[in-house]
Amino acid sequence: MSVVQTHDAVAMALTDNAANKVSTLIAEEGNPELKLRVFVTGGGCSGFQYGFSFDEAVNEDDTIISNKGATLLVDPLSFQYLVGSQIDYIEGLEGSRFIVNNPLATTTCGCGMSFSI
């Protein structure tokens, strides 16, 4: 008899580093209603580009991802390009920033902010 294992697909994830940075930035702003929004727009050197903003409003069709008290919002149009992605925060020689580790991206630019599928 064989055993079949199933795993739920991860729609999107907000890493602990990103969640901690979101919480820090929100505390600095003094507005606990803020949430990080990630979105995809046309443009950039690879065809699409990622964008980040802080938003108080949660739209009824937004996907909501939470980690460690921080909330990430994604609109339905952007979500289709971000399925399976991991939103992270890094600090390095090039500076600090939120990044998207997107398994759907077939190419990305050098800065990591634009991609194609």
Side-chain angles (χ1 to χ4, degrees):
M1 176 181 223
S2 66
V3 175
V4 176
Q5 293 182 344
T6 60
H7 300 280
D8 293 330
V10 175
M12 283 187 70
L14 181 66
T15 67
D16 289 349
N17 280 346
N20 289 335
K21 187 60 178 182
V22 168
S23 296
T24 299
L25 292 170
I26 290 171
E28 288 173 2
E29 285 295 314
N31 183 353
E33 299 302 312
L34 291 175
K35 295 143 188 74
L36 181 66
R37 181 175 292 280
V38 61
F39 54 91
V40 174
T41 59
C45 53
S46 295
F48 296 103
Q49 62 187 25
Y50 303 113
F52 294 94
S53 65
F54 280 99
D55 201 341
E56 290 182 350
V58 178
N59 302 321
E60 70 178 49
D61 57 354
D62 281 340
T63 297
I64 301 169
I65 294 105
S66 299
N67 183 12
K68 301 182 99 176
T71 302
L72 177 71
L73 305 174
V74 188
D75 65 88
L77 182 60
S78 297
F79 186 81
Q80 66 184 333
Y81 298 108
L82 296 168
V83 171
S85 293
Q86 183 182 65
I87 309 305
D88 198 5
Y89 181 79
I90 59 169
E91 294 179 355
L93 294 175
E94 296 103 24
S96 56
R97 62 191 167 137
F98 289 100
I99 61 166
V100 179
N101 296 312
N102 187 345
L104 299 177
T106 56
T107 58
T108 59
C109 71
C111 72
M113 292 308 289
S114 74
F115 69 102
S116 63
I117 294 182

mmCIF file of all heavy atoms in Angstrom, residues 1 27 44 53 59 63 67 69 76 85 96 105:
data_model
loop_
_atom_site.group_PDB
_atom_site.id
_atom_site.type_symbol
_atom_site.label_atom_id
_atom_site.label_comp_id
_atom_site.label_asym_id
_atom_site.label_seq_id
_atom_site.Cartn_x
_atom_site.Cartn_y
_atom_site.Cartn_z
ATOM 1 N N MET A 1 0.845 -1.181 0.000
ATOM 2 C CA MET A 1 0.000 0.000 0.000
ATOM 3 C C MET A 1 0.889 1.241 0.000
ATOM 4 O O MET A 1 1.821 1.347 0.777
ATOM 5 C CB MET A 1 -0.890 -0.031 1.232
ATOM 6 C CG MET A 1 -1.731 1.183 1.396
ATOM 7 S SD MET A 1 -2.718 1.022 2.897
ATOM 8 C CE MET A 1 -4.239 1.614 2.278
ATOM 9 N N ALA A 27 5.424 51.550 12.754
ATOM 10 C CA ALA A 27 5.604 52.166 14.074
ATOM 11 C C ALA A 27 6.214 53.560 13.945
ATOM 12 O O ALA A 27 5.802 54.492 14.644
ATOM 13 C CB ALA A 27 6.474 51.275 14.955
ATOM 14 N N GLY A 44 9.427 48.902 -17.031
ATOM 15 C CA GLY A 44 10.711 48.359 -16.594
ATOM 16 C C GLY A 44 11.444 47.763 -17.779
ATOM 17 O O GLY A 44 10.903 47.614 -18.872
ATOM 18 N N SER A 53 3.904 50.066 -1.797
ATOM 19 C CA SER A 53 3.398 51.281 -1.182
ATOM 20 C C SER A 53 2.735 50.894 0.135
ATOM 21 O O SER A 53 2.429 49.726 0.369
ATOM 22 C CB SER A 53 2.397 51.999 -2.091
ATOM 23 O OG SER A 53 1.237 51.204 -2.278
ATOM 24 N N ASN A 59 -9.187 46.640 -0.077
ATOM 25 C CA ASN A 59 -10.286 46.446 -1.014
ATOM 26 C C ASN A 59 -10.868 45.052 -0.835
ATOM 27 O O ASN A 59 -10.158 44.120 -0.461
ATOM 28 C CB ASN A 59 -9.796 46.641 -2.450
ATOM 29 C CG ASN A 59 -9.200 48.018 -2.653
ATOM 30 O OD1 ASN A 59 -9.691 49.009 -2.139
ATOM 31 N ND2 ASN A 59 -8.101 48.083 -3.377
ATOM 32 N N THR A 63 -6.050 40.199 -1.853
ATOM 33 C CA THR A 63 -5.540 39.038 -1.129
ATOM 34 C C THR A 63 -4.751 39.588 0.042
ATOM 35 O O THR A 63 -3.968 40.524 -0.113
ATOM 36 C CB THR A 63 -4.637 38.178 -2.034
ATOM 37 O OG1 THR A 63 -5.423 37.677 -3.118
ATOM 38 C CG2 THR A 63 -4.019 37.023 -1.270
ATOM 39 N N ASN A 67 1.922 38.064 8.567
ATOM 40 C CA ASN A 67 3.010 37.396 9.269
ATOM 41 C C ASN A 67 3.478 38.308 10.392
ATOM 42 O O ASN A 67 3.750 39.489 10.162
ATOM 43 C CB ASN A 67 4.173 37.082 8.330
ATOM 44 C CG ASN A 67 5.299 36.319 9.009
ATOM 45 O OD1 ASN A 67 5.160 35.826 10.120
ATOM 46 N ND2 ASN A 67 6.428 36.232 8.332
ATOM 47 N N GLY A 69 2.143 39.948 12.694
ATOM 48 C CA GLY A 69 1.413 41.190 12.898
ATOM 49 C C GLY A 69 1.461 42.158 11.733
ATOM 50 O O GLY A 69 0.795 43.186 11.749
ATOM 51 N N PRO A 76 -6.117 41.729 -7.276
ATOM 52 C CA PRO A 76 -6.279 40.517 -8.097
ATOM 53 C C PRO A 76 -5.462 40.515 -9.389
ATOM 54 O O PRO A 76 -4.960 39.466 -9.795
ATOM 55 C CB PRO A 76 -7.768 40.462 -8.418
ATOM 56 C CG PRO A 76 -8.425 41.471 -7.577
ATOM 57 C CD PRO A 76 -7.382 42.393 -7.043
ATOM 58 N N SER A 85 5.077 33.650 -4.957
ATOM 59 C CA SER A 85 6.189 34.549 -4.638
ATOM 60 C C SER A 85 6.402 34.703 -3.139
ATOM 61 O O SER A 85 5.502 34.490 -2.336
ATOM 62 C CB SER A 85 5.935 35.942 -5.225
ATOM 63 O OG SER A 85 5.959 35.904 -6.619
ATOM 64 N N SER A 96 19.139 48.924 1.171
ATOM 65 C CA SER A 96 18.109 48.063 1.741
ATOM 66 C C SER A 96 16.827 48.236 0.940
ATOM 67 O O SER A 96 16.534 49.323 0.439
ATOM 68 C CB SER A 96 17.886 48.398 3.203
ATOM 69 O OG SER A 96 17.567 49.757 3.353
ATOM 70 N N ALA A 105 8.729 34.314 -12.762
ATOM 71 C CA ALA A 105 9.561 35.188 -13.586
ATOM 72 C C ALA A 105 10.581 34.363 -14.370
ATOM 73 O O ALA A 105 11.329 33.582 -13.799
ATOM 74 C CB ALA A 105 10.276 36.212 -12.711
#
